[in-house]
Amino acid sequence: MSLAESVLQLIEDSAKTNGFTRVRTVWLEIGQLAGVEAEAMRFCFDAVTRGSIADGAALEIIATPGSGRCTDCGRTVAVTARYEPCPACGGYAVQIAGGAEMRVRELDVE
Amino acid sequence: MCTVCGCGEGETKIDGHSPARLYRRVHAHPHQHGHDHHHHEGGEPHPGAAQSRRVRVEQDILSRNDAYAAGNRRHFAEHGIFALNLVSSPGSGKTTLLTRTIERLGGKTRAAVIEGDQQTSLDADRIRATGAPAVQVNTGKGCHLDAHMVGHALERLALTDDSLLLIENVGNLVCPAAFDLGEAHKVAILSVTEGEDKPLKYPDMFAAADVMLLNKVDLLPYLDFNVPLCIEYARRINPDIRVILTSATSGDGMEEWLEWLDAGMQQASARKTDEVETLKRRIAGLEAALAAKG
């Protein structure tokens, strides 16, 4: 819920700088490893935007894939969950390189 | 994360008061609408109402919290304050550990506490009974402290330079991991009455923590808790995590914990002195440059 509130704050900040009064669509970039449930985000987003400039806005969630680099074997690997062993060598030294982001990417506004 | 448990900030209270500034979103609304109207009346260029356009934002969702956290961290650095964010599940013995820590530090160390709980001031009352200043933040429905709440709590604490600030987060092993408060370290407290597999079940928290206190070790004879296995799990998530076995009740491990605190405080204080010296040198340099111009 507080993440959804943070999204709305970023939208309201952007409204001040860019002078818009209504938001039609919000594009969020949520990494596979960010620990955010897309459905929970949708539910909370609808709840917190009610009565705001983003009331009724469509929420588009772009899921970015997880990736990491194993410091044991030096390979770049696809990561589906944090703290899992390296799929190549089985070690636990995988450093997350991508898929942890939670960003507001773009807005469609009036 | 918080998207799952539905926490919110509207009910946040600090020592029973609800500063209007804390109601960021709710109060920001009418204010902002007012601004919008103002802009329109001012006749600023404005696209037609039905015309839509794209606006790039490209901002991290936690960027606001991170900005507040950076502010807190700067404040701590300027004043040589060693700040710790204590995180655990409810009932791990955080508050008892804190009261015993403060008692053992005695009068020689200035320590203050920010207590985070959904409701009641019971924990802050327990801290104040030791003589240390404490501020209670009630998060209402919220499941974690954020950097903004901590900033307001700091206004009420009036910390002295070179002191120790212990922030006891809401008992929750999930959400507090994501919210930086500006602390030097997160300290995870795990009691041996919980499962040894907690680091694997709640990995984000143990990855975010620099220290794990394995607490209530006086109860080990009565429990089937595998200490080496628990430490192995914690290091699997976070190879660099420092583990200290403690019992606030029997006093086991408290010396090691206090030594670690003392080293951290000395470091924070020394950094402040360095910073002051650097600033003084800069002032002297700028004054010399100004004199040369004059």
Side-chain angles (χ1 to χ4, degrees), chain B residues 204-281:
Chain B
D204 289 329
M205 188 58 86
F206 293 88
D210 294 319
V211 177
M212 174 171 90
L213 299 183
L214 198 52
N215 197 26
K216 305 191 187 178
V217 290
D218 55 303
L219 298 177
L220 279 172
Y222 314 103
L223 301 165
D224 185 21
F225 185 95
N226 189 332
V227 173
L229 186 64
C230 180
I231 296 173
E232 187 198 316
Y233 286 157
R235 296 233 161 100
R236 187 185 291 179
I237 301 301
N238 181 353
D240 302 322
I241 198 163
R242 173 162 184 167
V243 182
I244 305 177
L245 273 61
T246 55
S247 164
T249 326
S250 72
D252 285 336
M254 290 298 278
E255 279 307 314
E256 192 183 344
W257 162 237
L258 290 172
E259 276 167 24
W260 184 82
L261 286 179
D262 192 49
M265 288 181 68
Q266 284 186 22
Q267 215 172 39
S269 177
R271 276 208 199 112
K272 179 198 77 176
T273 315
D274 284 352
E275 205 167 326
V276 169
E277 290 307 318
T278 313
L279 288 173
K280 276 184 184 163
R281 277 198 297 275

Side-chain angles (χ1 to χ4, degrees), chain A residues 83-99:
Chain A
Y83 319 113
E84 290 292 307
C86 168
C89 75
Y92 283 94
V94 181
Q95 287 179 339
I96 303 301

Side-chain angles (χ1 to χ4, degrees), chain A residues 6-23:
Chain A
S6 302
V7 170
L8 180 59
Q9 280 164 8
L10 291 178
I11 293 172
E12 287 173 344
D13 287 349
S14 175
K16 269 192 232 169
T17 354
N18 296 298
F20 56 83
T21 51
R22 224 182 116 58
V23 182

Side-chain angles (χ1 to χ4, degrees), chain A residues 81-110:
Chain A
R82 275 182 195 256
Y83 319 113
E84 290 292 307
C86 168
C89 75
Y92 283 94
V94 181
Q95 287 179 339
I96 303 301
E101 47 288 290
M102 317 187 256
R103 293 168 73 79
V104 179
R105 189 187 272 188
E106 207 174 2
L107 307 171
D108 187 27
V109 302
E110 292 174 1

Side-chain angles (χ1 to χ4, degrees), chain A residues 22-78:
Chain A
R22 224 182 116 58
V23 182
R24 286 185 181 182
T25 310
V26 178
W27 280 272
L28 289 189
E29 195 179 307
I30 305 281
Q32 231 180 9
L33 309 174
V36 176
E37 291 290 337
E39 279 321 300
M41 176 57 94
R42 283 181 201 288
F43 180 83
C44 296
F45 179 79
D46 285 347
V48 304
T49 53
R50 216 158 285 161
S52 76
I53 54 166
D55 196 343
L59 185 63
E60 298 287 343
I61 297 181
I62 306 153
T64 50
S67 69
R69 193 178 166 278
C70 176
T71 52
D72 280 352
C73 69
R75 266 173 263 199
T76 300
V77 291

